[in-house]
Amino acid sequence: MKRCNNCGTEMYDGYSICPYCGSKETITLDGMKEKSEDSLDGWRYNFDYSGSNGGYGFEDPAAFKSQYKLNGETVSGNTTNNSFDEKKNIREKRNKEPKDKKPKAKMSTEKRTLLIVGIISLILIGFAVFDAYRRIKRNDTVGATQTTYEKPTIIIRTYGDDKTTEIETEEYTEELTTEVASEPKDVPDGYKGPKIPDTNTTPLTIYSSNGDARMMVEYFSERYPQYASLIQIEEIYDSEEYLKKVQEGLSNGENAIYCVNTDYLGRFIASEDTATIQDMGITDEMYEKSFEFTRNTASYDGKVKAISYNVMPGTILYRKDMAREVFGTDDPDEIQKLFSDWDSFFATAEKLKEKGYYIVATPEDVKQSTLGGEDAKKRVDDGVLNIYDEAKNNLEIMNKIIEKGYSKSAEDFMWSNAWSDGFKEGVFCYFSTVWLDSYMVFDDTAFYQNCDVVLPPTKYSYDEDYFVVPKECGSMELAAFFLYEISCEDSISYEVSAKNGWLPNNIEAYKQLMENNVSYSDTFEGGTPLAKYLEAATGLKGRELSVLDDELEESMELFSGAYADSEDLEFAMNELITDVKNRYSDVIKK
């Protein structure tokens, strides 16, 4: 019980304002003085006093609000109608009413509380019985306790010229298409993947230099919400810093997965600190739906050490209207004959030149096919340098394009304005791939429905992304489970690819795209030519990567640009080989 210091009336502990005089002296509301004004109206009837004289509370909410400090300010209200004297007169008037007028029976606070508790208990029991029945029906062994799972967190790091770090942290809510479920989910029937991780496992960080990881985590978290709070995504948008982070993470055995582009994959799969898929718990059979060339590309000493979630088979994107004008047809089967080999390529270039057109925008366009194509050898094999034939072939082809005037520009390069505006300025084709095909028109509707694709003279892949995991990763089961789900599990692989415009490294998921006629852009009249991309991907064998692949390709590109118009190609080649051997003498012995 409490006693009002103003009128002396005793009351139950639950009261914060005297129900007789309205005084709040020595009365508190258990730390909830700063209550929102919107909800106070609903509170006033909770302060009725049930006693021998009948209950009485505030008639006007303003009187109740006036006693409280709302939002940090004392609320002043007109309480004249609720003053102590007036309330006392009203109470005395009620006491003088005839006794034969039977007052309406009131339920005590204790009985009212018990009744409410009883009703709520019955409702909860009903829900529990229904949930147990539902679980029995679907043979669900997951615990019945529901939990609201946290969503993954993204940390974005960008680096300026001074290498100072800016960090922005945001909750992973904007990218999620649905709320994270409130209870754990089992793997589908017939699951044949790696060991299912415990929900108490060590948290895992997924590192990326693009936004693709977010999309995969989104679907994984929707499928298995019990793991959502165990995953953090960290994006680092600086190539030098990112590669350094990957190297350190593999060496230190961090609890992490790293997304790496094909350009840099060789240096990481060559490391003893990088796990094989068998180290992860993923067997060859689990990964057999992937395209062969991705397994070969990710192999070192015969063991697969990285998993790819997408494929980017090389194609040639051409203008159909120009094809009809120059060659009399835009049929892909006929246009394919114009690019069956490099001799055919140059014959096609000559015919275009006669009509005032160009086969490519810049000489550098061909490098996707000439550097790193199917014909390329392993660039460094047991200390032996093997780039001579690859570099010379690239240099000769670029030199001929410049010499014959087959490119719109002889001096510009890929990603320049001159390159991107090629279709508008008489360029017939681009060496391309699925994402570039979809966006090559650069929002220019003049080329919508006016393009198609064929295969290049030398087959190539356009830099897929792969995931690598430290051999000493402390979250290996969770890492393997995630990688299996986003690459080997058909439905997630299909959904992520269909939504985000890439081709899945999962043949069954790829076939689902074709069956559902999924299209990524308006570039093509009949939709994205998935059948042609499938033909390109299945025809690739892949090539062995070496630890110096990215550095050697950069050197070949630089020397090609410097000596592409040189009459002395042999001199240029000797310069290249000498420079490379001097700079990488610790790896290259011959």
Side-chain angles (χ1 to χ4, degrees):
M1 299 293 288
K2 291 183 178 180
R3 182 182 298 277
C4 175
N5 289 345
N6 186 44
C7 67
T9 306
E10 292 186 353
M11 66 204 79
Y12 290 106
D13 289 338
Y15 291 108
S16 297
I17 293 179
C18 178
Y20 288 93
C21 70
S23 174
K24 64 173 183 178
E25 190 173 356
T26 71
I27 305 299
T28 62
L29 195 59
D30 297 333
M32 294 184 63
K33 288 184 178 182
E34 293 184 7
K35 183 70 180 174
S36 69
E37 187 169 358
D38 292 337
S39 63
L40 287 176
D41 290 349
W43 277 57
R44 65 188 181 99
Y45 292 108
N46 292 334
F47 288 83
D48 289 348
Y49 177 73
S50 299
S52 59
N53 293 327
Y56 181 81
F58 291 110
E59 298 289 335
D60 181 1
F64 174 67
K65 296 174 187 176
S66 68
Q67 308 297 325
Y68 282 84
K69 184 179 181 182
L70 300 178
N71 300 323
E73 298 181 3
T74 302
V75 176
S76 59
N78 183 4
T79 59
T80 304
N81 294 332
N82 294 282
S83 65
F84 172 66
D85 291 339
E86 184 171 348
K87 292 174 185 177
K88 183 176 180 181
N89 292 336
I90 293 173
R91 186 168 61 252
E92 290 175 351
K93 182 178 178 181
R94 287 180 178 174
N95 290 338
K96 292 178 180 179
E97 291 180 353
K99 298 298 182 180
D100 57 349
K101 188 175 182 179
K102 192 172 182 179
K104 186 176 180 179
K106 285 203 172 192
M107 183 182 293
S108 67
T109 302
E110 292 87 346
K111 289 182 180 180
R112 185 187 308 168
T113 302
L114 288 173
L115 178 60
I116 293 173
V117 170
I119 293 172
I120 293 174
S121 298
L122 288 174
I123 293 173
L124 292 176
I125 291 172
F127 275 120
V129 171
F130 173 77
D131 187 62
Y133 171 76
R134 178 178 62 83
R135 291 176 181 277
I136 292 172
K137 288 289 288 182
R138 70 182 179 95
N139 194 28
D140 191 351
T141 59
V142 180
T145 302
Q146 292 194 349
T147 306
T148 300
Y149 292 102
E150 296 179 7
K151 298 174 183 178
T153 300
I154 305 172
I155 297 178
I156 302 175
R157 300 180 188 270
T158 57
Y159 295 83
D161 294 336
D162 58 354
K163 300 301 178 186
T164 57
T165 304
E166 299 175 3
I167 301 178
E168 176 187 350
T169 304
E170 59 179 341
E171 287 302 312
Y172 193 80
T173 55
E174 184 175 331
E175 290 76 19
L176 286 175
T177 57
T178 59
E179 289 295 324
V180 174
S182 60
E183 62 178 280
K185 295 181 181 179
D186 286 343
V187 296
D189 293 338
Y191 173 79
K192 297 180 180 180
K195 183 179 178 181
I196 300 173
D198 191 277
T199 54
N200 294 322
T201 191
T202 304
L204 180 73
T205 300
I206 301 176
Y207 290 90
S208 173
S209 57
N210 57 45
D212 289 359
R214 299 190 194 188
M215 304 168 193
M216 287 173 274
V217 171
E218 168 188 336
Y219 283 94
F220 179 78
S221 298
E222 290 173 6
R223 179 70 66 88
Y224 302 109
Q226 61 267 40
Y227 301 112
S229 63
L230 297 175
I231 296 178
Q232 175 175 284
I233 304 166
E234 186 160 337
E235 297 173 1
I236 301 177
Y237 290 96
D238 180 280
S239 295
E240 181 181 341
E241 293 296 330
Y242 185 71
L243 294 174
K244 180 180 177 182
K245 181 64 179 178
V246 177
Q247 189 65 62
E248 291 176 349
L250 292 173
S251 299
N252 297 333
E254 287 190 8
N255 301 322
I257 296 174
Y258 301 92
C259 186
V260 179
N261 186 268
T262 308
D263 285 344
Y264 308 103
L265 183 62
R267 66 168 76 176
F268 298 122
I269 62 174
S271 171
E272 295 181 354
D273 298 320
T274 304
T276 66
I277 62 171
Q278 284 76 19
D279 292 331
M280 302 177 200
I282 297 176
T283 64
D284 292 335
E285 291 75 17
M286 295 176 192
Y287 195 42
E288 66 182 359
K289 296 178 186 177
S290 59
F291 287 91
E292 179 186 9
F293 82 91
T294 65
R295 299 194 297 271
N296 292 340
T297 300
S299 293
Y300 193 82
D301 286 343
K303 297 180 180 180
V304 179
K305 302 186 73 174
I307 288 180
S308 178
Y309 58 89
N310 65 349
V311 291
M312 298 186 199
T315 54
I316 288 181
L317 178 73
Y318 67 91
R319 276 180 54 178
K320 294 167 65 176
D321 60 339
M322 194 181 295
R324 290 191 296 269
E325 178 186 345
V326 178
F327 306 110
T329 180
D330 61 9
D331 183 356
D333 291 336
E334 294 299 318
I335 301 302
Q336 183 65 73
K337 297 174 184 178
L338 304 178
F339 294 96
S340 58
D341 53 34
W342 287 106
D343 289 338
S344 299
F345 172 87
F346 283 115
T348 301
E350 186 63 32
K351 290 181 181 179
L352 287 164
K353 181 181 177 182
E354 291 172 0
K355 294 288 186 177
Y357 297 125
Y358 309 94
I359 194 165
V360 290
T362 75
E364 194 182 42
D365 282 32
V366 300
K367 73 174 185 178
Q368 298 297 334
S369 188
T370 56
L371 293 179
E374 286 282 272
D375 297 338
K377 299 177 181 178
K378 186 175 182 180
R379 289 169 177 163
V380 179
D381 192 1
D382 290 332
V384 178
L385 183 65
N386 293 319
I387 66 170
Y388 185 88
D389 292 340
E390 181 184 6
K392 186 177 181 180
N393 179 57
N394 176 65
L395 200 56
E396 288 176 339
I397 290 174
M398 290 180 63
N399 177 272
K400 189 170 183 178
I401 291 173
I402 294 172
E403 183 182 283
K404 298 291 186 178
Y406 292 149
S407 63
K408 172 64 178 175
S409 171
E411 299 176 353
D412 288 293
F413 47 88
M414 290 180 66
W415 313 113
S416 65
N417 290 334
W419 174 79
S420 62
D421 289 338
F423 265 168
K424 302 175 185 177
E425 300 176 358
V427 170
F428 179 59
C429 70
Y430 285 91
F431 283 70
S432 187
T433 191
V434 57
W435 65 267
L436 194 54
D437 290 344
S438 298
Y439 301 106
M440 198 66 239
V441 293
F442 292 103
D443 296 325
D444 192 332
T445 55
F447 301 109
Y448 285 177
Q449 315 291 303
N450 189 27
C451 297
D452 215 328
V453 295
V454 293
L455 303 185
T458 301
K459 295 177 182 178
Y460 65 93
S461 62
Y462 206 112
D463 298 339
E464 287 77 19
D465 291 317
Y466 290 80
F467 285 116
V468 294
V469 180
K471 192 171 184 178
E472 300 301 323
C473 175
S475 305
M476 189 67 82
E477 291 180 1
L478 180 56
F481 186 56
F482 172 79
L483 293 178
Y484 174 85
E485 288 292 314
I486 58 95
S487 61
C488 307
E489 206 288 316
D490 300 347
S491 62
I492 292 183
S493 183
Y494 166 80
E495 290 170 6
V496 176
S497 300
K499 179 179 178 181
N500 299 298
W502 63 60
L503 303 177
N505 186 28
N506 180 312
I507 296 175
E508 293 302 316
Y510 197 113
K511 291 178 179 178
Q512 290 180 35
L513 292 177
M514 297 176 65
E515 291 170 0
N516 295 328
N517 296 315
V518 174
S519 184
Y520 298 136
S521 77
D522 296 324
T523 305
F524 307 100
E525 184 176 0
T528 301
L530 296 175
K532 181 60 69 173
Y533 293 130
L534 180 61
E535 179 185 350
T538 52
L540 285 167
K541 298 298 180 184
R543 65 184 183 87
E544 249 188 303
L545 302 180
S546 69
V547 68
L548 290 178
D549 261 32
D550 54 313
E551 290 94 341
L552 293 176
E553 183 152 332
E554 182 179 350
S555 294
M556 287 188 284
E557 288 179 9
L558 291 173
F559 272 82
S560 295
Y563 294 99
D565 59 350
S566 171
E567 295 181 1
D568 192 347
L569 296 182
E570 200 60 41
F571 170 77
M573 288 303 304
N574 288 333
E575 287 289 299
L576 170 63
I577 300 301
T578 301
D579 177 76
V580 167
K581 286 185 175 180
N582 288 338
R583 283 196 289 137
Y584 305 111
S585 58
D586 56 330
V587 177
I588 300 172
K589 305 302 180 184
K590 295 181 181 179

